[in-house]
Amino acid sequence: MKTIEIKRRGKFSRGVETLKGNTVRAGRMKYVSTLLSRCWSGTPLMGMKTVENTREIKRTQISISGMHCASCASLISKALQKTQGVKSVNVNYAAAKASVEFDEKKTDEKKIIEVIKSRGYSALVGVDHEHESLVREREIIELRNLLVFAAALSLPAFLLGMFLMEFPYRSLLLFLLATPVQFIAGRGFYLGALSALKNRTASMDTLIAIGTSAAYFYSIAFLFGLVEEQYFETAAVLITLVILGKYLEARAKGRTSQAIRKLMGLAPKHAIVIRAGREMKVPISEVRVGDIVLVKPGEKIPVDGIVLEGKSAVDESMITGESVPADKSKGMKVVGASINKNGVLRIKAMKIGKDTVLSQIVKLVEEAQGSRADIQRFADAISAVFVPVVVAIAILSLAVWIMLGQTFSFALLTAVSVLVIACPCALGLATPTAIMVGTGIGAQRGILIKNAETLENMHKINALIFDKTGTITEGKMNVTDFVPLEGAHDATALSLAYSVEANSEHPLADAIVNYAKGEGAKKQKTSSFRAVPGHGVEAMVGKERVYIGKPKGTHAKGKIVSLIARLEGEGKTVMVLEKNGKPSAVIGVADVIRKTSRAAVAELQKLGISSWMITGDNKRTAAAIARLAGIKNVFAQVLPKDKAEYVKKLQKKGMKVAMVGDGINDAPALAQADIGIAMGGGTDVAIETGSVIIMRNDPLDVPRAIKLGRATINKIRQNMFWALVYNVVGIPIAAGVLYPSFGILLSPIIAGGAMALSSVSVVGNSLLLGREKL
């Protein structure tokens, strides 16, 4: 049975359709059609409720503490998947979170928490960033203290065991030094192994517990004279090295979520509100919608709102990535966490708390960081059998060396080395750490990526379609040419145009009025104003009859002909200003291209991506704009409802297509495309449908987003490669395959050190994404 689900979780959420658990593009199309119908009928988008034909599906985020390795994440995932009512689960070891979709009629969040706790872990519904930060800090402090404790005992044990062979009571001292390390510092490994055993599985803790226990208890036998060698220092140093690795890993993992913490840190903690005529400083949590908020120079704006009084320049770079401050005055919108640079502003609070743009961005980044890439399934499949296979190899190594005539202690060392060099965590961290860093970098640079699937598909894109209006162009008409004809005075002609068009509400009139104001033209009184349908407008300015509109047949001679032809050839809308029936000036108006459009197309070409432009304009205008932007392929005279069909045409040719747009009529095409890229200044519908959001409306951010996606996938592949190579090469060497031919045998201590650094190297490689030039 097919289940259609439409979700509304804030400004940047999106709808999906699930068919036997698989997300398909059709869900986006149905979602778009629902949004469009509501929008065109005048129904507000905000507050849209979940629509289900059979059941209520809910998604929740769970914060989990106590996971020691990727096997723990796999254990929790399997337990939740078996829970009745749970539809999908993604447990992210790197982020210490689980994203769970479930049927509210069959289970609830309380039951999900109980299942996680029954497996020996702590869990909390939702994402409390302050609590999460405290938990992570506490974990790092505990690991640091444990490391100091273990190192203080294992270092003298190492020196005594390796170099001071004739030291008095050497064996007894080694026992006294190693025992606290084994059972106090190593307590967590035993608890983890026991928890895994209860759940009929095994984890990295199992490997460490078995390996170090084998060395420790073999050494106990030495104390009683049952064997000839001891390995107390080996067991102690191994545990210390593993704790060192966990400590470094915890610190590195903390850096992968820096983007979220930085975003959260942008929000001010207090606001000045005006109530009953008095200024009151209150915690941000006490600000209500409709409150009048006072923001002084240098302060952060605490809410999303509208300016009631004052003028100022506002730095919105922390939200949009745009470095140039935006001028704000009465009636203009402001965004919470942006910085008021100079003037005093009185702002009416329109959105607070979780409804602000900042909170929605944080939520979007959280969901993206917790999402699952397809490539992760490969790592999960390996992790599921990793520990049992390693234990089997260790036992086989022990047996083979004994059969080949080596001593039991020699065979035991190879088995221990196999157990401690194996690292499932490196595989488990390979994908999620790269995704966390990649999406975080994007958010900091004004590029919001909704999920791991989008990042993963970025490198496949080879064709990109730009909508023209508001994407390639600025989306508003501007006067590009004002050419007085012979005998006409510049200032006089512009004054006449200003005076007449000031009476009109047409976008072309707005362009002329704005241009005239900018040039300092004077406005005169008019009378007898009227619109000439399909042609233009006319009015009396004093004793002069003035017409502004389309060129007439009477203009088909003289200098004016070539001027009109040239402007129209450049894709501009041409109007003629007449005074008393005589042409006085020619006006060219166009939706000018954005300053960075041409550079963006050039960058895409360098990336091997062909660019297309789609527009409802006529072919001549479309060709002119495309030429200015450097785009060779154009779809012109396309009706809004047909845009998605043109995306399909390219897809049928085998192309992987990205669509960039900003309007309601772009939404179906955004949904149809392999990747939909919505300009952040566009409509809610476009933003809902796009899988990437460009916050600062800069076309150059489109190739930057694709570069980021490619860089992230490269990091994932590098991480997977090195994690696999490490285990595939390291485990056989630890088992002693090189010993017969080359005399090379890996000691357990070296194996333990290699294991400790393997996970850190994967996380560190992911963090190098921050150095990528986009």
Side-chain angles (χ1 to χ4, degrees):
M1 175 176 283
K2 182 169 69 173
T3 302
I4 298 172
E5 175 191 358
I6 298 173
K7 298 180 180 178
R8 179 71 183 177
R9 291 189 303 272
K11 186 176 181 182
F12 303 122
S13 57
R14 69 191 283 186
V16 299
E17 175 179 308
T18 55
L19 182 61
K20 296 182 180 178
N22 296 319
T23 302
V24 294
R25 185 176 291 115
R28 284 194 279 164
M29 296 301 291
K30 284 185 177 293
Y31 178 61
V32 170
S33 63
T34 304
L35 285 174
L36 291 179
S37 64
R38 292 179 66 90
C39 190
W40 287 327
S41 65
T43 307
L45 291 174
M46 298 306 292
M48 185 171 170
K49 296 181 179 179
T50 302
V51 178
E52 278 291 323
N53 65 347
T54 55
R55 56 181 178 265
E56 294 291 330
I57 302 297
K58 183 178 180 181
R59 174 180 289 176
T60 187
Q61 291 269 350
I62 309 288
S63 296
I64 303 172
S65 55
M67 289 195 291
H68 302 111
C69 70
S71 299
C72 296
S74 178
L75 170 63
I76 295 170
S77 181
K78 288 178 181 177
L80 290 175
Q81 285 169 353
K82 293 177 182 177
T83 303
Q84 186 181 21
V86 172
K87 301 304 172 187
S88 69
V89 180
N90 179 29
V91 182
N92 188 326
Y93 166 55
K97 294 185 184 71
S99 179
V100 185
E101 283 193 348
F102 61 95
D103 186 342
E104 287 187 290
K105 293 182 179 179
K106 295 183 179 179
T107 189
D108 55 27
E109 291 169 334
K110 184 179 179 182
K111 174 64 177 174
I112 291 169
I113 293 293
E114 288 174 358
V115 171
I116 297 173
K117 288 184 175 179
S118 70
R119 297 307 189 267
Y121 305 93
S122 299
L124 181 72
V125 175
V127 181
D128 184 333
H129 293 281
E130 290 188 11
H131 174 76
E132 193 177 85
S133 181
L134 288 172
V135 168
R136 195 176 290 277
E137 286 180 19
R138 186 165 64 243
E139 178 191 6
I140 291 173
I141 292 171
E142 288 175 355
L143 283 170
R144 184 193 64 196
N145 293 341
L146 204 58
L147 177 62
V148 171
F149 171 77
L153 295 170
S154 60
L155 181 59
F158 175 75
L159 296 174
L160 188 60
M162 299 297 290
F163 303 108
L164 305 175
M165 302 301 180
E166 304 302 324
F167 199 87
Y169 303 106
R170 174 174 173 270
S171 299
L172 182 59
L173 285 172
L174 284 170
F175 166 74
L176 293 174
L177 289 168
T179 300
V181 177
Q182 187 71 35
F183 298 107
I184 297 176
R187 178 173 176 269
F189 302 121
Y190 284 108
L191 292 176
L194 184 61
S195 175
L197 184 61
K198 286 179 181 178
N199 293 290
R200 299 178 183 179
T201 185
S203 66
M204 192 189 79
D205 289 335
T206 307
L207 299 178
I208 302 302
I210 294 174
T212 59
S213 294
Y216 177 82
F217 287 108
Y218 185 84
S219 302
I220 293 292
F222 170 80
L223 289 180
F224 291 95
L226 301 176
V227 294
E228 296 181 356
E229 296 181 47
Q230 65 78 33
Y231 299 105
F232 280 124
E233 76 281 2
T234 299
V237 172
L238 280 176
I239 287 174
T240 303
L241 286 172
V242 175
I243 293 172
L244 171 64
K246 283 184 169 291
Y247 171 68
L248 295 175
E249 180 187 318
R251 288 183 60 123
K253 281 197 302 182
R255 290 175 59 195
T256 63
S257 57
Q258 275 184 346
I260 291 280
R261 292 200 299 276
K262 284 181 179 178
L263 286 170
M264 291 299 295
L266 294 175
K269 301 295 186 289
H270 295 85
I272 298 175
V273 297
I274 300 173
R275 292 174 180 165
R278 293 176 53 208
E279 294 182 11
M280 302 171 60
K281 188 175 182 179
V282 300
I284 194 67
S285 59
E286 294 183 14
V287 179
R288 298 290 177 260
V289 173
D291 274 346
I292 307 302
V293 180
L294 183 69
V295 186
K296 298 176 182 178
E299 293 182 343
K300 288 183 178 180
I301 295 173
V303 296
D304 292 1
I306 295 176
V307 177
L308 296 180
E309 292 180 28
K311 291 183 179 180
S312 183
V314 175
D315 180 0
E316 297 178 333
S317 60
M318 65 289 299
I319 301 295
T320 64
E322 180 58 63
S323 59
V324 180
D327 291 330
K328 300 293 180 180
S329 57
K330 184 177 179 179
M332 300 183 75
K333 293 180 180 180
V334 290
V335 181
S338 53
I339 301 172
N340 181 26
K341 301 294 287 185
N342 37 52
V344 177
L345 296 176
R346 286 177 182 249
I347 297 164
K348 183 178 180 180
M350 304 302 291
K351 292 181 181 178
I352 59 172
K354 61 181 176 54
D355 294 325
T356 63
V357 168
L358 177 63
S359 294
Q360 294 294 328
I361 290 173
V362 169
K363 185 175 181 180
L364 178 64
V365 176
E366 284 174 347
E367 289 183 355
Q369 292 187 343
S371 62
R372 186 186 195 82
D374 284 342
I375 197 171
Q376 180 68 24
R377 294 195 183 101
F378 174 67
D380 292 343
I382 295 175
S383 298
V385 297
F386 188 91
V387 175
V389 168
V390 169
V391 172
I393 293 172
I395 295 171
L396 182 64
S397 175
L398 178 73
V400 168
W401 283 118
I402 290 174
M403 286 189 292
L404 290 175
Q406 291 291 346
T407 64
F408 181 79
S409 62
F410 179 94
L412 178 65
L413 282 182
T414 62
V416 171
S417 293
V418 168
L419 290 170
V420 298
I421 201 172
C423 186
C425 290
L427 275 171
L429 290 167
T431 300
T433 53
I435 288 171
M436 289 175 70
V437 175
T439 52
I441 289 170
Q444 289 177 320
R445 300 184 185 185
I447 302 168
L448 303 182
I449 298 167
K450 287 185 176 180
N451 51 54
E453 179 190 5
T454 298
L455 270 175
E456 198 170 15
N457 288 333
M458 285 287 195
H459 74 287
K460 300 176 184 176
I461 295 300
N462 53 23
L464 191 141
I465 301 175
F466 284 100
D467 174 57
K468 180 185 78 73
T469 306
T471 304
I472 288 293
T473 66
E474 292 183 352
K476 59 182 181 180
M477 304 302 283
N478 291 279
V479 172
T480 58
D481 303 84
F482 190 92
V483 185
L485 299 175
E486 291 179 9
H489 189 271
D490 294 21
T492 303
L494 187 55
S495 175
L496 290 174
Y498 179 18
S499 303
V500 174
E501 293 290 15
N503 297 288
S504 175
E505 295 180 354
H506 195 280
L508 294 176
D510 289 341
I512 293 172
V513 168
N514 290 333
Y515 175 77
K517 286 180 178 178
E519 294 294 313
K522 293 182 179 181
K523 180 182 174 185
Q524 304 175 54
K525 289 184 179 182
T526 61
S527 61
S528 304
F529 174 85
R530 74 183 187 95
V532 183
H535 293 278
V537 293
E538 63 179 20
M540 294 297 295
V541 182
K543 295 181 179 180
E544 315 287 351
R545 175 161 294 280
V546 180
Y547 164 85
I548 305 174
K550 289 182 179 180
K552 299 176 181 178
T554 55
H555 300 147
K557 57 183 178 179
K559 177 183 176 183
I560 191 173
V561 177
S562 58
L563 181 57
I564 291 172
R566 177 177 67 81
L567 294 177
E568 286 183 341
E570 293 172 358
K572 298 170 183 177
T573 300
V574 179
M575 291 177 285
V576 175
L577 168 68
E578 284 186 356
K579 185 174 73 170
N580 297 325
K582 183 180 179 181
S584 186
V586 174
I587 307 168
V589 180
D591 180 7
V592 296
I593 72 166
R594 294 183 185 273
K595 294 178 181 178
T596 56
S597 290
R598 190 175 185 88
V601 172
E603 279 295 309
L604 289 169
Q605 190 172 359
K606 290 179 185 177
L607 295 173
I609 298 171
S610 58
S611 296
W612 301 69
M613 189 182 81
I614 193 166
T615 178
D617 285 345
N618 63 66
K619 291 182 179 179
R620 185 169 62 178
T621 301
I625 296 294
R627 186 168 58 252
L628 290 172
I631 297 175
K632 297 178 182 179
N633 308 299
V634 181
F635 295 132
Q637 294 176 302
V638 179
L639 295 174
K641 64 184 180 67
D642 294 333
K643 286 186 177 181
E645 292 302 316
Y646 282 84
V647 174
K648 285 182 184 178
K649 283 183 181 180
L650 296 186
Q651 289 173 329
K652 286 176 181 178
K653 293 179 181 179
M655 297 182 181
K656 293 293 182 180
V657 182
M659 170 73 192
V660 187
D662 73 325
I664 289 175
N665 56 24
D666 297 325
L670 289 171
Q672 175 61 41
D674 296 283
I675 293 178
I677 303 176
M679 302 298 270
T683 65
D684 272 0
V685 180
I687 291 171
E688 294 289 344
T689 315
S691 47
V692 178
I693 302 165
I694 304 300
M695 290 296 291
R696 58 183 181 180
N697 294 330
D698 184 352
L700 262 177
D701 279 343
V702 174
R704 287 182 186 128
I706 291 172
K707 287 180 186 177
L708 177 61
R710 290 183 177 184
T712 303
I713 289 302
N714 286 338
K715 284 298 176 189
I716 290 174
R717 288 172 174 170
Q718 290 169 17
N719 289 347
M720 296 284 280
F721 174 79
W722 289 114
L724 284 169
V725 166
Y726 166 81
N727 284 294
V728 169
V729 174
I731 291 173
I733 293 176
V737 295
L738 298 180
Y739 184 72
S741 302
F742 303 99
I744 296 175
L745 188 66
L746 205 62
S747 76
I749 289 176
I750 294 175
M755 190 278 286
L757 294 176
S758 62
S759 295
V760 180
S761 64
V762 166
V763 180
N765 189 45
S766 295
L767 290 170
L768 290 177
L769 266 172
R771 298 185 180 182
E772 292 285 341
K773 291 184 178 180
L774 301 179

